[in-house]
Amino acid sequence: GNWCTGTTWWCSEPSTSPARGGDGFLARGDGVSVGWSAHSPWSENSGPQPPCVKESMPSLAVRALSPLFRVTRKRPMATRESAWKRITAAKADPAPPAWFSRRHTVDVRRVGGFDSYTVVPRGGVERVVLYVHGGSYVHEISPWHWRFIAALADAGCLVEVPIYGLAPGYTHREAFPFLEAVHRELPTDGGPAVFMGDSAGGGLALAYAQSLLGEEGSTASPLPRRLVLIAPCVDLTLSHPDIRELDRIDPWLGPVGLRTAAEAWAGGDDLADPRLSPVNGPVEGLPPTDVYIGTHDLLLPDVRRLVERMRKAGVEVDLQQEAGLFHVYPLVPCPEGRAARERIISSLREP
């Protein structure tokens, strides 16, 4: 039968849809990924839809983790009351795990009242990466972050990990001068650093890069050589109309909890301010940018808006969308995450 009828669809590119005859992926509201072909004659005006061709589903690991995340990640932030309880809870220790320190050389120093960790690869330094961790601006760096940072160090990257102050004790107003101070102390022998971040950290890394666009003169901080943004949070207003529907299939993020955390991070400032919502900031002149996001991620519509703006401004953007994948999947121990990590490391070796 025609099991495509009566479901909610999400297109993998904003300019592509079955009616326009483009190739791509779709994610049904019940989490099943399907595809369409540019050679299909069907259009919205040509009568009933023909049976769709089912594409490969997410891995077994992803299908097992999704319900787990819905309980452990989404449910505790489902209401303003429960979210505020999580936001005001004691923060975890950001120090790298013991196994990490045994495997890598790690230095920590105080910069403007905050810690910043420098992870030095065992061999020579091929790239310098400024990594800004995610966590909805309220959660500390996690073991998954450190495992990813370990992979970057194994690939020859010196990784600088600034531990910025979290809401509600701190806001974005303390984060920017801290990042600038850390950035200015990075080694420059191999050229400008790569800015990388996930989720809230991806948005913060992008917003900081945007703040460098207008700087001139000998004292100006250099722009990054590349941006790598993993499911970046780029619009804290969460006002895109598609977010409501995506909330049904995103097992990780919920708009209520994310909005509550965003308000704490904003500290009374307008959530649409580009320092909080870099989708509204300047994009012309940004370096080549890689973006990774799953189609079951609340942040997808705003990420697509960002990518569209950047491309129109002439920025080289490589958008990697994974059908049926959840938030920050490149950090997660699953086959799709492993492939994304390998791709990221490969991109860092490019000139």
Side-chain angles (χ1 to χ4, degrees):
N2 184 2
W3 48 267
C4 303
T5 304
T7 54
T8 300
W9 305 95
W10 299 95
C11 305
S12 69
E13 290 284 355
S15 61
T16 310
S17 73
R20 296 188 181 99
D23 285 323
F25 287 99
L26 297 167
R28 276 189 1 187
D30 59 2
V32 177
S33 298
V34 300
W36 71 84
S37 168
H39 305 292
S40 173
W42 180 80
S43 71
E44 289 177 338
N45 299 319
S46 62
Q49 299 175 19
C52 295
V53 179
K54 188 176 180 181
E55 295 288 345
S56 58
M57 294 181 68
S59 66
L60 179 60
V62 167
R63 285 178 279 150
L65 286 168
S66 290
L68 176 65
F69 289 155
R70 191 170 290 277
V71 173
T72 61
R73 304 275 181 169
K74 189 162 189 167
R75 186 177 296 172
M77 298 284 283
T79 67
R80 290 187 67 87
E81 292 76 16
S82 61
W84 189 248
K85 184 176 180 180
R86 291 288 295 267
I87 291 168
T88 55
K91 308 302 184 186
D93 183 358
W99 66 264
F100 189 99
S101 299
R102 290 193 298 267
R103 179 171 166 182
H104 299 287
T105 300
V106 182
D107 298 319
V108 61
R109 68 190 188 283
R110 297 289 283 180
V111 180
F114 300 98
D115 286 343
S116 189
Y117 289 89
T118 305
V119 182
V120 183
R122 291 186 179 274
V125 175
E126 297 181 21
R127 283 285 181 268
V128 175
V129 175
L130 178 67
Y131 191 90
V132 188
H133 74 85
S136 301
Y137 309 103
V138 299
H139 298 302
E140 232 358 313
I141 189 170
S142 73
W144 280 355
H145 290 112
W146 286 117
R147 279 194 286 269
F148 180 48
I149 292 165
L152 296 175
D154 288 341
C157 296
L158 182 150
V159 188
E160 190 71 26
V161 187
I163 306 299
Y164 57 93
L166 302 172
Y170 299 94
T171 71
H172 68 105
R173 291 187 286 272
E174 293 83 24
F176 280 83
F178 173 50
L179 290 181
E180 181 180 14
V182 171
H183 181 204
R184 286 183 177 274
E185 294 180 359
L186 292 179
T188 57
D189 297 347
V194 173
F195 287 6
M196 188 181 301
D198 67 280
S199 193
L204 183 53
L206 172 60
Y208 174 60
Q210 289 173 333
S211 75
L212 304 177
L213 288 173
E215 292 189 2
E216 296 180 356
S218 58
T219 61
S221 299
L223 281 167
R225 69 185 303 137
R226 192 178 203 91
L227 289 169
V228 180
L229 308 177
I230 301 171
C233 187
V234 298
D235 187 353
L236 293 192
T237 70
L238 299 174
S239 56
H240 197 288
D242 289 347
I243 286 178
R244 177 180 296 181
E245 287 296 329
L246 273 169
D247 184 34
R248 296 167 51 211
I249 59 174
D250 184 333
W252 191 310
L253 297 177
V256 175
L258 193 54
R259 173 76 182 222
T260 305
E263 291 170 351
W265 177 247
D269 290 345
D270 185 354
L271 291 176
D273 186 303
R275 291 163 72 88
L276 295 163
S277 297
V279 72
N280 300 324
V283 294
E284 186 173 357
L286 286 174
T289 301
D290 301 331
V291 182
Y292 292 80
I293 193 162
T295 62
H296 288 195
D297 190 327
L298 275 185
L299 307 182
L300 179 63
D302 294 319
V303 166
R304 286 172 171 164
R305 281 201 302 135
L306 171 70
V307 169
E308 183 179 10
R309 284 197 64 219
M310 294 175 74
R311 286 174 172 167
K312 285 183 177 179
V315 180
E316 178 187 334
V317 182
D318 181 14
L319 174 60
Q320 294 293 317
Q321 295 180 115
E322 192 72 24
L325 265 288
F326 38 60
H327 189 54
V328 296
Y329 74 88
L331 303 185
V332 177
C334 62
E336 296 89 344
R338 186 183 312 112
R341 293 190 293 273
E342 291 172 355
R343 186 182 180 92
I344 289 170
I345 290 170
S346 177
S347 73
L348 296 180
R349 296 192 174 106
E350 296 176 5

